[in-house]
Amino acid sequence: MTVYELSNTLSNGGLDKFFSDIYVKSDMELLRQKARYINAVEKFSRLYPEREEIYVFSAPGRTEIGGNHTDHQHGCVLAAAVTLDTIAIVSFHDDGVVRVKSEGHKPDIIELSDLSPHDDEKGHGGAIIRGIIAQFAGIGVKIGGFDAYTTSDILSGGGLSSSAAFGVLIGTIIDQYYNNGMAGAVEIAKIGRYAENVYFGKASGAMDQMVTSIGGFTSIDFKDPEMPLIRSVDFDFSSSGYSLCIVDTKGRHSDLSDDYSEIPNDMRTVAAQLGAEFLRDADEMKFYENFRRIRERCTDRAVLRAIHFFDESRRAELESEALENGRLNDFFSLVNESGDSSAMLLQNLYSPKRPECQELMIGIAISRRYLRGSGAVRVHGGGFAGTIQAFVPKYMEMGYAAELEHVFGEGSCHILGIRTAGGIRVI
């Protein structure tokens, strides 16, 4: 399809059904997405005027629903793709180079003759692109090159995994065009994680890329983190009568590295007392049988975090079962339990270095006051600052958004849905 043909298709409603399937179903959202795609096509054509034949790709962000800080101890997680995404307008060629211009960032130019890691690229999109290309080249995929313009509406720093979506997007582009889709969603996720770990320099687990690549509700068991057990959870969220709201509580993310790293460190100290490296491999019964001895040798906080892990990993599996059996009230009860456990046992709702700043606690308190027992609310992502997650009845969503934005500012509440598709080629 040419740039002109795609612009006409968008203007004449040719993608309306697609937009209805993967984004929030509303007339306002339909108009927003059409304008967003048309704008991306126009910017692509200005960047690469010599390119005529174009393709369009999309990869979603993701939300963790159950399993807060369980993955690094090889536990279980429930997560889902959301209706925010990164899209790419792409044209392929045989120039031996990949050029990617992401909105708001400098262009990344990757020569296909040089696919080794570059230290000066760490922390930048170019590192993810180079790492993914290197992995595909390593399995024998011949890549000619491409030019791309990408734009994203995934909230940066909101625990929605914008970097994982970008990696899955690049992997999907290469797999669909140069590999006839043979790698598939799971392999694309593994390739994206490798690029993020080795080339980008971020020590992330496999959850983000897996959920973004597969789509829908996804249950993941990390007992073997190199070969996690992945299962799609069949539940039609669009017909549930609820919306997923992610609220940016505007807390500072600076100086939180120690807070994050102390969680797995605490959990491992308890695991070591039980003869294991990770809590998943520790005997929960022996933990309670030897509770007094373990408490003497570990901090109380470490012991409480271990209790959280054992309960939360099990709770993520129960949440999956509740959804599959249509027991929505049970699911919401479990989500609320997860939030309470994060607050009381995991203790990741504010930094002990800044006890005066408790934005997440404020957000949850205001949410529970407004919802009055409906739906559910919990911390979202790693915690200490950032976002909360709420399941809100649709008839309450506008009022809920207004209430939370009265506290945290205009645009802080994002009303989303669950996206069934992962990384895909749109056109």
Side-chain angles (χ1 to χ4, degrees):
M1 183 174 284
T2 66
V3 168
Y4 177 77
E5 289 170 338
L6 178 54
S7 295
N8 273 352
T9 297
L10 289 163
S11 299
N12 296 328
L15 287 180
D16 285 6
K17 185 181 184 306
F18 167 78
F19 290 153
S20 178
D21 287 343
I22 71 165
Y23 299 117
V24 172
K25 292 178 173 62
S26 73
D27 292 341
M28 185 179 295
E29 181 64 9
L30 174 61
L31 291 173
R32 188 181 81 84
Q33 291 299 340
K34 289 170 77 167
R36 178 178 174 234
Y37 276 67
I38 289 171
N39 182 58
V41 172
E42 290 175 349
K43 288 185 176 178
F44 174 90
S45 65
R46 288 199 294 270
L47 282 167
Y48 312 108
E50 72 281 10
R51 305 299 180 195
E52 294 185 0
E53 189 74 15
I54 60 172
Y55 297 75
V56 184
F57 297 83
S58 163
R62 70 100 185 108
T63 180
E64 173 207 278
I65 295 167
N68 197 214
H69 282 281
T70 56
D71 57 335
H72 52 68
Q73 295 301 299
H74 302 179
C76 298
V77 172
L78 174 65
V82 298
T83 50
L84 295 176
D85 67 349
T86 302
I87 63 172
I89 314 298
V90 185
S91 184
F92 297 92
H93 51 69
D94 293 317
D95 295 352
V97 63
V98 168
R99 307 178 189 92
V100 178
K101 174 65 173 74
S102 296
E103 184 178 20
H105 298 274
K106 294 180 179 179
D108 292 303
I109 301 174
I110 310 297
E111 298 286 346
L112 299 182
S113 59
D114 178 13
L115 298 180
S116 59
H118 288 206
D119 286 341
D120 60 350
E121 275 184 349
K122 287 188 181 297
H124 298 283
I128 292 176
I129 300 167
R130 193 182 302 274
I132 289 171
I133 296 171
Q135 285 296 94
F136 272 105
I139 60 174
V141 176
K142 182 174 171 52
I143 301 164
F146 57 87
D147 295 335
Y149 174 80
T150 78
T151 182
S152 179
D153 61 5
I154 301 172
L155 177 65
S156 179
L160 295 168
S161 298
S162 56
S163 62
F166 180 76
V168 167
L169 182 72
I170 298 299
T172 302
I173 290 169
I174 295 170
D175 189 46
Q176 288 286 320
Y177 190 83
Y178 287 112
N179 196 37
N180 296 315
M182 292 176 63
V186 172
E187 192 61 31
I188 288 171
K190 291 179 180 178
I191 289 171
R193 180 198 176 192
Y194 175 87
E196 192 161 298
N197 291 171
V198 177
Y199 281 70
F200 187 79
K202 180 181 177 183
S204 63
M207 176 181 69
D208 296 352
Q209 288 83 3
M210 283 294 177
V211 178
T212 293
S213 191
I214 294 168
F217 286 97
T218 305
S219 173
I220 308 177
D221 184 339
F222 287 105
K223 184 172 179 59
D224 180 354
E226 297 305 315
M227 293 291 290
L229 294 173
I230 303 157
R231 184 171 59 85
S232 292
V233 178
D234 185 17
F235 180 76
D236 182 9
F237 185 77
S238 65
S239 301
S240 69
Y242 286 81
S243 294
L244 169 67
C245 294
I246 300 295
V247 182
D248 182 3
T249 65
K250 307 297 175 69
R252 293 194 350 248
H253 286 86
S254 58
D255 302 324
L256 293 177
S257 295
D258 290 345
D259 293 308
Y260 290 126
S261 62
E262 283 168 0
I263 292 178
N265 290 343
D266 276 351
M267 291 183 177
R268 284 182 187 139
T269 62
V270 175
Q273 294 300 314
L274 296 164
E277 183 177 0
F278 302 99
L279 281 174
R280 175 58 180 270
D281 301 318
D283 188 319
E284 184 181 1
M285 188 65 71
K286 288 184 179 179
F287 167 72
Y288 285 105
E289 288 173 355
N290 295 279
F291 195 89
R292 183 173 179 176
R293 176 181 62 81
I294 292 171
R295 189 179 169 212
E296 288 171 351
R297 298 181 180 182
C298 302
T299 65
D300 282 353
R301 187 182 68 178
V303 171
L304 289 170
R305 284 175 165 171
I307 295 172
H308 168 82
F309 169 82
F310 290 126
D311 292 344
E312 181 76 352
S313 186
R314 187 163 44 246
R315 190 158 37 233
E317 295 182 288
L318 293 173
E319 287 172 343
S320 299
E321 290 176 18
L323 285 179
E324 287 180 317
N325 293 306
R327 295 184 284 106
L328 204 54
N329 287 335
D330 290 345
F331 168 72
F332 289 147
S333 293
L334 290 163
V335 172
N336 280 324
E337 286 178 20
S338 173
D340 290 342
S341 181
S342 293
M344 185 175 72
L345 303 176
L346 186 61
Q347 301 177 27
N348 71 330
L349 266 66
Y350 65 92
S351 172
K353 293 178 291 191
R354 298 200 299 260
E356 71 279 6
C357 300
Q358 299 194 31
E359 298 89 354
L360 296 176
M361 294 286 277
I362 293 291
I364 290 172
I366 297 297
S367 296
R368 289 189 170 176
R369 178 180 181 276
Y370 187 85
L371 292 173
R372 298 183 184 277
S374 298
V377 62
R378 69 192 280 274
V379 63
H380 182 245
F384 299 109
T387 56
I388 61 170
Q389 172 193 81
F391 291 92
V392 180
K394 283 189 177 295
Y395 71 89
M396 298 176 74
E397 67 180 26
M398 299 310 295
Y400 175 80
E403 186 79 2
L404 272 294
E405 291 188 354
H406 177 70
V407 176
F408 297 112
E410 185 177 351
S412 57
C413 182
H414 303 265
I415 301 173
L416 312 177
I418 303 300
R419 169 168 151 167
T420 57
I424 54 172
R425 186 173 77 178
V426 178
I427 293 187

